[in-house]
Amino acid sequence: MTQQSGSVAIVGGYVVPVDGPPLPNGTVLIEDGAITAVGADVPLDGDIEVVDASGKWVLPGFIDAHAHLGVWEEGEGWAGADVNEMTHPNGARLRALDAINPADEGFADALAGGVTSCVVKPGSGNPIGGQTVAIKTWGRMVDEMVIKSPASVKSALGENPKRVYGDKDKLPSTRLGVAAVIRDELTKAQDYLARRDAALARQEPFERDPSSEVLVRVLQGELPWCQHTHRADDIATAIRLADEFGYRLVINHATEAYLLADVIAERGIGCIVGPMFHTRSKVELRNRNLATPGKLANAGVTVALTTDHPVVGIDFLVHQATFAVREGMSREDALRSITINPASILGFADRVGSLAEGKDGDVVIWSGDPLDVLQRAERVFVSGHEVYRYADGQRIVSNPYRTG
């Protein structure tokens, strides 16, 4: 498999750039890890490795907008469960980056599903869970895999945090308590910002607060607020809090968001929807519906899809898009929901999400239309390096630790 130069031309395939019309018999040229040309007639240097994709579909690598890859490891039980630090309601200073294990089996599954990027998030046990990170799904150490760090701050409303702290007989044990904790911590951050700025203006020292420093970045619009929320009433609370403090809200899970689709669309709030291939395991999931992504997209909401891996295996991301189409989502919106939309919602569309000049060379060759459940990812390139191949009935993942 290609591993050295990161320079390759994928030719002859049905190229789907996502942000542009499909190109029959198209070419994607990747040089030094970045896409340098996408088109029907791309001149090639004799030194470029040529990959024939005739009869295949060529797409950008997919993106899972909300996963716990590497922080909630599969088959490891307690030892690999680093997703929830459920010892303090405000975990703003916590970073998913610090707990990701690239050796988690889920990374190989991601590549097999054509997923080359994901946003890894802390869990939903705390009202404020911590900082998320956008990473590639192949690499030797997570620092080399980072696309954007932090990508957002994770927060949770609804059943999870109230159950966690209710079981401890601590605040918050109710929905009103969860909202109060979030409001209290954001108010503290506002006060901290005023004290910090006053001290800086006077050139005086001040005591730094790592949690408030992160929340200040939220208040100033630098970091989106990824709000775990399922029920419509919790979504309304999420909007109320965002209005009060002025931060950029992203609704995560969005199970009943279709009930407020017009409100969400009017406010330009992005929705990360899913997972959708699981049982209704708690009350707030009773209205889980495969039609939700299409209803939101048809209302004008920017939609991304999530497996919430490992709740649903990350390699099933594309199948969620397929079933969303079956239930009313357009094919175009479905492909955008696992490519450019998650990158746009969370602010790294300059790197990934479509096949365009200047973006990372994250490209997947499919046996056919990826929205056909019988098709598979056959070759996967990350930054121009071939890191996965399906051949002779086997999934072959390149070893990131190999040198030379």
Side-chain angles (χ1 to χ4, degrees), residues 99-163:
I100 296 172
N101 179 9
D104 178 8
E105 292 291 334
F107 283 97
D109 288 342
L111 296 174
V115 180
T116 57
S117 303
C118 75
V119 181
V120 179
K121 299 179 178 178
S124 51
N126 293 329
I128 303 175
Q131 300 164 62
T132 78
V133 59
I135 63 170
K136 302 292 182 75
T137 57
W138 183 88
R140 184 179 55 170
M141 54 189 292
V142 69
D143 307 78
E144 298 171 347
M145 301 158 67
V146 169
I147 301 170
K148 183 179 181 183
S149 178
S152 64
V153 173
K154 171 74 177 293
S155 174
L157 293 170
E159 293 181 25
N160 288 7
K162 82 168 200 166
R163 182 187 68 249

Side-chain angles (χ1 to χ4, degrees), residues 231-232 235 255-264 287 295-296:
R231 276 183 7 188
I235 293 170
T255 302
E256 293 185 357
Y258 64 92
L259 297 172
L260 302 174
D262 57 332
V263 176
I264 294 167
N287 288 323
K295 289 179 178 179
L296 290 171

Side-chain angles (χ1 to χ4, degrees), residues 146-290:
V146 169
I147 301 170
K148 183 179 181 183
S149 178
S152 64
V153 173
K154 171 74 177 293
S155 174
L157 293 170
E159 293 181 25
N160 288 7
K162 82 168 200 166
R163 182 187 68 249
V164 167
Y165 287 92
D167 287 348
K168 302 175 189 286
D169 291 325
K170 294 175 59 177
L171 178 75
S173 62
T174 60
R175 278 180 163 82
L176 55 92
V178 173
V181 167
I182 294 171
R183 186 175 285 111
D184 287 349
E185 297 301 329
L186 290 170
T187 300
K188 290 177 185 176
Q190 289 176 326
D191 294 342
Y192 172 81
L193 175 61
R195 292 195 306 273
R196 187 190 73 178
D197 287 353
L200 289 172
R202 295 192 299 267
Q203 297 185 325
E204 294 177 353
F206 64 95
E207 184 176 352
R208 296 175 62 192
D209 178 348
S211 292
S212 291
E213 287 280 355
V214 174
L215 295 179
V216 163
R217 297 175 69 184
V218 172
L219 293 170
Q220 293 180 328
E222 183 181 345
L223 293 176
W225 188 257
C226 277
Q227 188 71 74
H228 164 111
T229 181
H230 291 278
R231 276 183 7 188
D233 60 326
D234 290 327
I235 293 170
T237 297
I239 293 172
R240 187 180 316 115
L241 286 165
D243 285 349
E244 182 176 345
F245 290 96
Y247 53 75
R248 183 156 61 93
L249 173 65
V250 178
I251 296 172
N252 286 233
H253 303 304
T255 302
E256 293 185 357
Y258 64 92
L259 297 172
L260 302 174
D262 57 332
V263 176
I264 294 167
E266 182 180 354
R267 292 168 182 262
I269 299 169
C271 283
I272 299 171
V273 182
M276 296 183 291
F277 288 175
H278 63 93
T279 60
R280 297 173 178 88
S281 56
K282 54 185 177 179
V283 172
E284 60 188 15
L285 296 177
R286 73 176 101 195
N287 288 323
R288 178 190 59 74
N289 195 316
L290 286 163

